[in-house]
Amino acid sequence: MDAQGTKAALTEISAIKVVAPTVLQEVVDMAIQIHGGMGVCQDTLLPNFYAQARVLRLADGPDEVHKTMIAKLELKRQGFSRSAKSDKA
Ligand SMILES: Cc1cc2nc3c(=O)[nH]c(=O)nc-3n(C[C@H](O)[C@H](O)[C@H](O)COP(=O)(O)OP(=O)(O)OC[C@H]3O[C@@H](n4cnc5c(N)ncnc54)[C@H](O)[C@@H]3O)c2cc1C
Protein backbone atom coordinates (compact mmCIF):
# COMPACT_ATOMS: atom_id res chain seq x y z
CA MET A 1 0.00 0.00 0.00
CA ASP A 2 2.81 2.41 0.87
CA ALA A 3 4.71 1.72 -2.35
CA GLN A 4 1.94 1.45 -4.95
CA GLY A 5 -1.31 2.54 -3.32
CA THR A 6 -4.40 0.76 -2.07
CA LYS A 7 -5.73 -0.25 -5.48
CA ALA A 8 -2.54 -2.08 -6.41
CA ALA A 9 -2.58 -3.90 -3.07
CA LEU A 10 -6.20 -5.12 -3.14
CA THR A 11 -5.22 -8.79 -3.27
CA GLU A 12 -2.75 -8.44 -0.39
CA ILE A 13 -5.30 -6.47 1.67
CA SER A 14 -7.95 -9.16 1.19
CA ALA A 15 -5.41 -11.91 1.86
CA ILE A 16 -4.21 -10.44 5.16
CA LYS A 17 -7.83 -10.06 6.28
CA VAL A 18 -8.16 -13.84 5.96
CA VAL A 19 -4.68 -14.87 7.14
CA ALA A 20 -4.21 -12.69 10.24
CA PRO A 21 -7.45 -13.66 12.06
CA THR A 22 -7.00 -17.32 11.07
CA VAL A 23 -3.43 -17.43 12.41
CA LEU A 24 -4.52 -15.60 15.58
CA GLN A 25 -7.28 -18.16 16.11
CA GLU A 26 -4.83 -21.05 15.57
CA VAL A 27 -2.26 -19.55 17.96
CA VAL A 28 -4.86 -19.02 20.71
CA ASP A 29 -6.20 -22.52 20.08
CA MET A 30 -2.69 -23.97 20.59
CA ALA A 31 -2.25 -21.89 23.76
CA ILE A 32 -5.56 -23.27 25.08
CA GLN A 33 -4.47 -26.81 24.26
CA ILE A 34 -1.14 -26.59 26.09
CA HIS A 35 -2.89 -25.12 29.15
CA GLY A 36 -5.36 -28.01 29.23
CA GLY A 37 -8.52 -27.38 31.27
CA MET A 38 -7.06 -24.15 32.63
CA GLY A 39 -7.02 -22.84 29.06
CA VAL A 40 -10.81 -22.95 28.88
CA CYS A 41 -11.60 -21.64 32.34
CA GLN A 42 -11.89 -18.00 33.24
CA ASP A 43 -8.67 -17.97 35.29
CA THR A 44 -6.91 -17.06 32.03
CA LEU A 45 -7.82 -14.61 29.28
CA LEU A 46 -7.52 -17.35 26.66
CA PRO A 47 -11.28 -17.97 26.24
CA ASN A 48 -11.74 -14.21 25.71
CA PHE A 49 -8.89 -14.14 23.20
CA TYR A 50 -10.43 -17.11 21.39
CA ALA A 51 -13.81 -15.37 21.15
CA GLN A 52 -12.17 -12.17 19.93
CA ALA A 53 -10.15 -14.06 17.33
CA ARG A 54 -13.30 -15.80 16.09
CA VAL A 55 -15.15 -12.46 15.86
CA LEU A 56 -12.34 -11.03 13.71
CA ARG A 57 -13.19 -13.60 11.00
CA LEU A 58 -16.56 -11.85 10.65
CA ALA A 59 -16.22 -8.27 11.85
CA ASP A 60 -14.16 -6.97 8.94
CA GLY A 61 -16.18 -9.06 6.48
CA PRO A 62 -16.52 -12.86 6.41
CA ASP A 63 -13.57 -14.95 5.18
CA GLU A 64 -15.66 -16.05 2.20
CA VAL A 65 -16.10 -12.48 0.96
CA HIS A 66 -12.35 -11.78 1.09
CA LYS A 67 -11.57 -15.11 -0.60
CA THR A 68 -14.09 -14.31 -3.35
CA MET A 69 -12.41 -10.94 -3.87
CA ILE A 70 -8.98 -12.61 -4.13
CA ALA A 71 -10.33 -15.12 -6.65
CA LYS A 72 -11.94 -12.39 -8.78
CA LEU A 73 -8.79 -10.26 -8.79
CA GLU A 74 -6.58 -13.23 -9.57
CA LEU A 75 -8.83 -14.48 -12.40
CA LYS A 76 -8.87 -10.96 -13.86
CA ARG A 77 -5.07 -10.76 -13.58
CA GLN A 78 -4.82 -14.06 -15.47
CA GLY A 79 -7.06 -12.74 -18.25
CA PHE A 80 -10.31 -14.49 -17.32
CA SER A 81 -13.41 -12.35 -17.13
CA ARG A 82 -17.11 -13.04 -16.89
CA SER A 83 -18.88 -12.63 -20.21
CA ALA A 84 -21.70 -10.07 -20.52
CA LYS A 85 -24.04 -13.05 -20.97
CA SER A 86 -23.08 -14.72 -17.65
CA ASP A 87 -23.30 -11.35 -15.85
CA LYS A 88 -26.98 -11.22 -16.75
CA ALA A 89 -27.64 -14.80 -15.57
C1 LIG B 1 -18.06 -7.51 16.74
C2 LIG B 1 -18.45 -7.02 15.39
C3 LIG B 1 -18.04 -5.77 14.98
C4 LIG B 1 -18.40 -5.27 13.73
N1 LIG B 1 -17.99 -4.04 13.40
C5 LIG B 1 -18.39 -3.52 12.23
C6 LIG B 1 -17.98 -2.20 11.84
O1 LIG B 1 -17.26 -1.51 12.57
N2 LIG B 1 -18.42 -1.70 10.67
C7 LIG B 1 -19.22 -2.44 9.85
O2 LIG B 1 -19.60 -1.93 8.79
N3 LIG B 1 -19.60 -3.68 10.18
C8 LIG B 1 -19.21 -4.25 11.34
N4 LIG B 1 -19.62 -5.51 11.68
C9 LIG B 1 -20.51 -6.25 10.78
C10 LIG B 1 -19.76 -7.29 10.00
O3 LIG B 1 -19.07 -6.68 8.92
C11 LIG B 1 -20.80 -8.31 9.52
O4 LIG B 1 -21.24 -9.05 10.65
C12 LIG B 1 -20.19 -9.22 8.47
O5 LIG B 1 -19.93 -8.54 7.28
C13 LIG B 1 -21.14 -10.39 8.17
O6 LIG B 1 -22.40 -9.88 7.83
P1 LIG B 1 -23.67 -10.49 8.54
O7 LIG B 1 -23.44 -10.54 10.02
O8 LIG B 1 -24.87 -9.78 8.02
O9 LIG B 1 -23.71 -12.00 8.08
P2 LIG B 1 -24.16 -12.53 6.62
O10 LIG B 1 -23.89 -11.52 5.55
O11 LIG B 1 -25.52 -13.10 6.77
O12 LIG B 1 -23.09 -13.68 6.47
C14 LIG B 1 -23.22 -14.91 7.21
C15 LIG B 1 -22.31 -15.91 6.55
O13 LIG B 1 -22.72 -16.13 5.20
C16 LIG B 1 -21.60 -16.31 4.36
N5 LIG B 1 -21.51 -15.24 3.36
C17 LIG B 1 -21.97 -13.98 3.45
N6 LIG B 1 -21.72 -13.28 2.32
C18 LIG B 1 -21.11 -14.15 1.49
C19 LIG B 1 -20.59 -14.03 0.17
N7 LIG B 1 -20.65 -12.89 -0.52
N8 LIG B 1 -19.99 -15.12 -0.37
C20 LIG B 1 -19.90 -16.28 0.32
N9 LIG B 1 -20.38 -16.45 1.57
C21 LIG B 1 -20.97 -15.40 2.15
C22 LIG B 1 -20.39 -16.31 5.27
O14 LIG B 1 -20.10 -17.61 5.73
C23 LIG B 1 -20.85 -15.46 6.43
O15 LIG B 1 -20.11 -15.69 7.61
C24 LIG B 1 -19.23 -6.04 12.89
C25 LIG B 1 -19.61 -7.33 13.30
C26 LIG B 1 -19.23 -7.82 14.52
C27 LIG B 1 -19.66 -9.23 14.93
Side-chain angles (χ1 to χ4, degrees):
M1 286 171 71
D2 287 348
Q4 296 180 26
T6 305
K7 206 171 170 189
L10 281 181
T11 300
E12 288 77 8
I13 292 168
S14 293
I16 200 65
K17 287 181 178 188
V18 175
V19 172
T22 303
V23 171
L24 173 59
Q25 193 182 331
E26 285 173 7
V27 168
V28 177
D29 187 74
M30 285 189 280
I32 288 173
Q33 192 68 21
I34 62 172
H35 281 80
M38 197 172 95
V40 287
C41 82
Q42 292 177 349
D43 288 348
T44 75
L45 286 172
L46 291 171
N48 295 38
F49 292 158
Y50 193 84
Q52 287 172 23
R54 189 64 189 82
V55 164
L56 277 184
R57 292 183 50 210
L58 291 167
D60 201 19
D63 293 351
E64 290 86 349
V65 172
H66 299 306
K67 287 179 180 176
T68 301
M69 172 68 88
I70 295 166
K72 282 181 180 169
L73 290 167
E74 197 55 33
L75 286 170
K76 193 174 172 190
R77 205 167 65 88
Q78 298 297 330
F80 295 98
S81 65
R82 298 171 84 195
S83 69
K85 196 176 174 188
S86 65
D87 274 343
K88 286 178 191 162

